[in-house]
Amino acid sequence: MMICSETYYELYLKDKSADEILSAIRGLKNEIGRLKNIAEHPEYQCTIHPSEKVRISCTREYLERAKQALADMGVGYKPSKTELKVAEFDENLPYITSVVLSIGGYCYGNDEYKVVLIDNDALLSFGHSDIQSQPDEITVMDINITKEEFLDELRRLHIGEWRKNYNTRRFGYGVCDGTQWSLEISYSNGIKPVKIHGDNAYPYNFDSLKDLMRCEDSEEEDENE
C-alpha cells in the first residue's frame, strides 16, 4: 500500500541530514525510471497492485516532498537535464496553440486528433487519412473542457520527460509492422514545436493522453455514423 507524501516525510526524511535527503532523492528518481521501464515494455501486463503507474504517481509526490524538505533546510538542489526539460515544458504550457495526435499504420492509414486552443476553449477535430492522403476533417467537437482544464491535464502527463522516439529496439525487439504514432505540440511564443514519435512502443501513460484527446470517443462516434 502506498502512503501519502507527508507520511513518507515523517517516516523517511524527518530529522535527516541534507546528504541523506539527497540520497533519498536519487533513490526516488531511480525508482521512477525503473517503474517506467517495466510499464513501457511491449509485453507489459499489470500483475501487481498498486500498479506500476500508480506507484510512479506516488513516487513523484515523495520526490517533490523530498525536494521541499531540502529547500526548507536552505540547501540548493541542482535539477537534472530531464528536470530542466520538464520545467521548460511547463513554463511554455500557456503558449500552446494546438496538440495533434496521429495514430495509425501502413495498412489502415491514420486517425488524427487535433485540439486547438482558442481564447478559453479547447476544440477537437478528428480526421482519418489513407496511407498517402492528408487527413479529411470529419467533425469538430466540443469536448466540454476549458483551455485551462486541458492544459492542467496535459501538465499531469509530464510530457517534458518523454523520449523523442519510442520503439521496440530499446527492448531488443526487431522492426515489425504494427502501430505508429506521433505527437506534435505547437506554440504561439516562437519556440519550436515539440515532436515525439513512436513505433509499437509508448510512454507508460500514453493511454492518459488518448483519454485527454478523446480518442475512444472519436472512434466510437465514427463507427456509429
Side-chain angles (χ1 to χ4, degrees), residues 179-191:
T179 301
Q180 290 75 48
W181 62 272
S182 65
L183 175 67
E184 182 169 341
I185 302 175
S186 299
Y187 299 84
S188 63
N189 61 345
I191 68 171

Side-chain angles (χ1 to χ4, degrees), residues 57-97:
S57 178
C58 291
T59 306
R60 285 189 191 281
E61 294 183 11
Y62 304 160
L63 178 59
E64 292 307 311
R65 187 63 184 89
K67 291 179 183 178
Q68 183 59 51
L70 202 63
D72 291 343
M73 299 175 66
V75 178
Y77 171 73
K78 184 178 180 180
S80 66
K81 290 182 179 180
T82 298
E83 288 170 318
L84 290 173
K85 183 181 171 185
V86 172
E88 182 182 11
F89 182 87
D90 289 349
E91 288 173 2
N92 286 300
L93 273 169
Y95 304 101
I96 292 177
T97 56

Side-chain angles (χ1 to χ4, degrees), residues 123-187:
L123 300 176
L124 169 69
S125 63
F126 168 71
H128 178 80
S129 66
D130 294 327
I131 299 172
Q132 296 180 337
S133 66
Q134 293 295 318
D136 295 322
E137 185 175 289
I138 295 177
T139 187
V140 176
M141 293 171 285
D142 181 358
I143 55 177
N144 297 318
I145 187 173
T146 66
K147 175 182 177 178
E148 182 179 356
E149 291 169 337
F150 180 87
L151 293 178
D152 187 55
E153 290 298 319
L154 198 65
R155 180 184 290 106
R156 295 172 186 272
L157 295 177
H158 304 280
I159 291 175
E161 65 185 33
W162 284 15
R163 300 171 181 269
K164 290 296 184 183
N165 195 308
Y166 287 81
N167 58 68
T168 55
R169 290 189 294 274
R170 173 184 165 207
F171 299 97
Y173 290 74
V175 178
C176 58
D177 293 334
T179 301
Q180 290 75 48
W181 62 272
S182 65
L183 175 67
E184 182 169 341
I185 302 175
S186 299
Y187 299 84

Side-chain angles (χ1 to χ4, degrees), residues 186-200:
S186 299
Y187 299 84
S188 63
N189 61 345
I191 68 171
K192 293 182 179 179
V194 170
K195 297 182 180 181
I196 304 174
H197 304 272
D199 186 353
N200 296 306

Side-chain angles (χ1 to χ4, degrees), residues 100-104 109-113 129 135 179-184 206:
V100 180
L101 176 63
S102 179
I103 305 175
N110 292 300
D111 291 331
E112 182 180 280
Y113 306 86
S129 66
T179 301
Q180 290 75 48
W181 62 272
S182 65
L183 175 67
E184 182 169 341
F206 188 73

